[in-house]
Amino acid sequence: MRTPNREAKVPSDRSRRARRRLAPAVAAVAAAGLLLATAAPASAETDGARLNFTGGAAADLTVYRPATGTWYARNLDGSQFITTFGASTDRPFPEDYDGDGVADAAIFRPGTSQWWIRSSQTGALNVFSFGLSTDIAFPGHWVGGDARADIAVFRPSTGQWWFRNTATGAVTTTTFGSSTDTPEPGDYDGDDILDIAVQKPNGQNWWRSSDDSAVRVVNFGLGTDVNVNADYDGDGVTDWAKVRTQSGSRVWYLLQSSDGFAVRTFGTSSDVVAPADYDGDGSTDIAIWRAGTGQFWVLGSSDGLSVTPWGQIGDALPLSSYITGG
């Protein structure tokens, strides 16, 4: 494991903006083959620290360079964070594992099934084994009572979800889904805890509430769509969102809990989808990374379109570890 040999961190001057908390609406929409059958109620904040390395209110444009194990992050204000952590075969999974509101560099090493997490607060290294190389990992806020991200993996061969509480190390498991399902967890009930969810081959989205354990079904999208579910309308509830390649373009279909149905064409078929809250207003922004030119194109919900050179050919997006389907 490479240890850090270079780190630069400059706090952002962007002030924190309060998240909007709006009462979500239940809507039925039919367009382009998309139909909502059941919508999720409630409202709450969702995790915003996954890509926040510079300590501001916004997600950072972040790339991982496998050849050197180097992380490069910068926000739209220009503040930067650069560090070396990981190897070429590692899979990056940044999250706020120590609960300080800042993303921690973290990787999963498939060859040994080990997680390596470095605290942004203390620099302490935490290494432990959890999961199998064939599992689909999805860290996040799975356990209530603290601000620390936990580890979760979905095991398609058994339909099992395995959870590791970061604070205590306790491991729990439950069964939801099958070998043909694609995991797409999110905070669909707005209680600040992730809900188990899977995308079925027929395009149905099945999710189980962490609040009341009820199972709900949302008919939205196709089984071949890329899942980019996030909080696009800023009400603290994860929205259903799908990206479909049509006529060489990336078409984004959004089913928002407060703002309803929307369609946006943004990006080309070769672009990497990269949605996050880059302008720090509490709403996820539609965004892509163009590997051929090393550019982030962000359609900011508050700041509008921005194009920022960041990264190069051969880099990977840590965010892609959380994008499923397609």
Side-chain angles (χ1 to χ4, degrees):
M1 178 71 179
R2 290 190 178 94
T3 54
N5 60 19
R6 183 162 67 112
E7 184 170 323
K9 185 174 180 180
V10 182
S12 169
D13 291 330
R14 185 185 295 272
S15 61
R16 287 192 179 275
R17 301 176 183 140
R19 282 187 181 270
R20 293 181 293 136
R21 290 180 177 264
L22 304 176
V26 177
V29 178
L34 305 176
L35 175 65
L36 169 67
T38 309
S43 62
E45 284 192 78
T46 51
D47 182 15
R50 180 173 295 153
L51 296 177
N52 182 7
F53 291 94
T54 58
D60 300 321
L61 309 173
T62 307
V63 299
Y64 176 69
R65 193 157 295 164
T68 60
T70 306
W71 302 62
Y72 297 88
R74 61 155 290 173
N75 64 22
L76 293 182
D77 289 340
S79 301
Q80 298 183 13
F81 171 86
I82 301 172
T83 193
T84 300
F85 189 80
S88 60
T89 55
D90 294 338
R91 295 165 56 192
F93 281 98
E95 268 289 1
D96 180 16
Y97 297 99
D98 57 13
D100 65 348
V102 178
D104 305 309
I107 59 92
F108 175 68
R109 185 158 292 171
T112 60
S113 296
Q114 286 182 320
W115 290 82
W116 294 62
I117 300 173
R118 192 185 65 199
S119 170
S120 59
Q121 190 173 39
T122 66
L125 183 65
N126 187 17
V127 182
F128 56 90
S129 296
F130 186 73
L132 305 175
S133 61
T134 53
D135 291 342
I136 301 173
F138 209 106
H141 192 202
W142 289 97
V143 181
D146 61 39
R148 304 171 69 175
D150 310 295
I151 305 293
V153 299
F154 174 65
R155 190 160 296 167
S157 60
T158 61
Q160 288 179 309
W161 294 73
W162 293 76
F163 308 94
R164 184 184 187 275
N165 187 323
T166 296
T168 67
V171 175
T172 56
T173 185
T174 189
T175 300
F176 190 83
S178 66
S179 61
T180 58
D181 294 342
T182 300
E184 52 172 350
D187 184 12
Y188 300 107
D189 56 15
D191 64 352
D192 288 338
I193 299 175
L194 288 175
D195 305 304
I196 295 171
V198 295
Q199 176 194 41
K200 299 288 185 179
N202 64 1
Q204 286 186 331
N205 306 278
W206 291 58
W207 68 280
R208 189 171 73 193
S209 171
S210 59
D211 182 46
D212 60 12
S213 298
V215 175
R216 297 174 173 86
V217 179
V218 176
N219 291 319
F220 187 74
L222 304 176
T224 54
D225 291 339
V226 176
N227 301 308
V228 289
N229 305 335
D231 184 11
Y232 292 90
D233 55 13
D235 63 357
V237 177
T238 299
D239 304 312
W240 300 98
K242 312 290 181 176
V243 172
R244 189 177 305 165
T245 300
Q246 296 176 243
S247 302
S249 297
R250 294 286 199 185
V251 182
W252 301 62
Y253 294 91
L254 310 180
L255 188 59
Q256 300 163 109
S257 51
S258 288
D259 292 351
F261 180 72
V263 181
R264 301 283 187 274
T265 299
F266 193 79
T268 68
S269 59
S270 60
D271 293 336
V272 181
V273 294
D277 181 15
Y278 296 108
D279 56 15
D281 65 350
S283 299
T284 297
D285 304 311
I286 292 174
I288 58 92
W289 183 63
R290 191 155 291 168
T293 58
Q295 292 176 319
F296 276 89
W297 290 62
V298 177
L299 189 59
S301 52
S302 289
D303 297 346
L305 178 65
S306 65
V307 180
T308 306
W310 195 246
Q312 64 184 35
I313 294 176
D315 289 347
L317 298 192
L319 184 61
S320 293
S321 298
Y322 296 88
I323 304 296
T324 64

